Amino acid sequence: MNPQIDQYKAFVKQKGNYDCGVACLLSIIRFHQGDCSYEALLKRCGTSQHGTSIQGIKQAANQGGLEAEAFLIEELRDFKKEVNFPCILLVVNKQSLNHYIVCCESKNEKFYKIFDPANGFEFWNEEHLLSVWKSKVVVLFSPNLNFKKVRY
């Protein structure tokens, strides 16, 4: 059995209109076999009716034992080569609002497995990804010594 398939089952959809960042971060935590309550992450991230900032996501991740760094990506080929998946991307949704998604993996040269906390899992082609990922902001995560794994 592929352990990553089980880890993807732990991904969570957002509960409200402004908590996509929290849902993405909780999905990353669970991917790495950790856990946290949704409500605790809302507070740690400082989520409001205006959403969640990248700084809030980074701070909450760091408090939970994940190293989190945000970067601007210049070229898509660099993104595919250099990032560790899953990662969070800041995109623009259909309503032209900022929205966070999880990029789970690059399936091949042209397709990406995406977890959109509003819609679930999708496969996006490169053209679609580039059309909504205007910010080119990516947040990368890696567990540190303070990260606590849990058993499901």
Side-chain angles (χ1 to χ4, degrees):
M1 178 180 278
N2 183 345
Q4 287 189 341
I5 293 172
D6 291 338
Q7 289 165 319
Y8 288 139
K9 286 182 182 178
F11 279 35
V12 295
K13 287 192 169 186
Q14 64 191 78
K15 295 182 178 182
N17 292 329
Y18 308 106
D19 56 349
C20 55
V22 170
C24 287
L25 179 56
L26 183 54
S27 296
I28 297 284
I29 291 168
R30 289 185 176 173
F31 177 87
H32 289 290
Q33 300 173 347
D35 202 13
C36 185
S37 79
Y38 203 88
E39 292 71 26
L41 278 184
L42 281 169
K43 289 179 184 172
R44 285 185 195 164
C45 287
T47 302
S48 70
Q49 69 270 17
H50 302 291
T52 306
S53 69
I54 290 171
Q55 187 63 28
I57 290 172
K58 287 174 48 181
Q59 287 175 349
N62 290 331
Q63 287 175 12
L66 286 174
E67 298 293 328
E69 290 295 328
F71 298 94
L72 282 173
I73 299 296
E74 297 286 327
E75 297 288 333
L76 196 57
R77 70 176 176 268
D78 295 335
F79 171 72
K80 289 189 270 190
K81 288 181 195 173
E82 297 180 19
V83 303
N84 56 319
F85 295 101
C87 57
I88 294 178
L89 305 180
L90 176 60
V91 299
V92 177
N93 67 13
K94 292 176 184 173
Q95 292 80 30
S96 298
L97 300 172
N98 284 339
H99 182 62
Y100 294 106
I101 60 167
V102 178
C103 186
C104 300
E105 58 188 284
S106 175
K107 293 299 278 181
N108 56 40
E109 290 296 312
K110 299 287 183 190
F111 289 94
Y112 299 86
K113 183 174 186 176
I114 300 294
F115 176 74
D116 181 335
N119 301 316
F121 285 99
E122 303 171 347
F123 285 98
W124 289 5
N125 64 28
E126 202 169 86
E127 183 180 340
H128 180 67
L129 177 64
L130 290 172
S131 75
V132 298
W133 191 28
K134 308 236 184 261
S135 73
K136 298 293 189 277
V137 172
V138 59
V139 186
L140 304 178
F141 302 89
S142 61
N144 64 31
L145 295 176
N146 295 319
F147 186 78
K148 293 185 180 21
K149 291 186 177 186
V150 297
R151 293 182 183 210
Y152 289 101

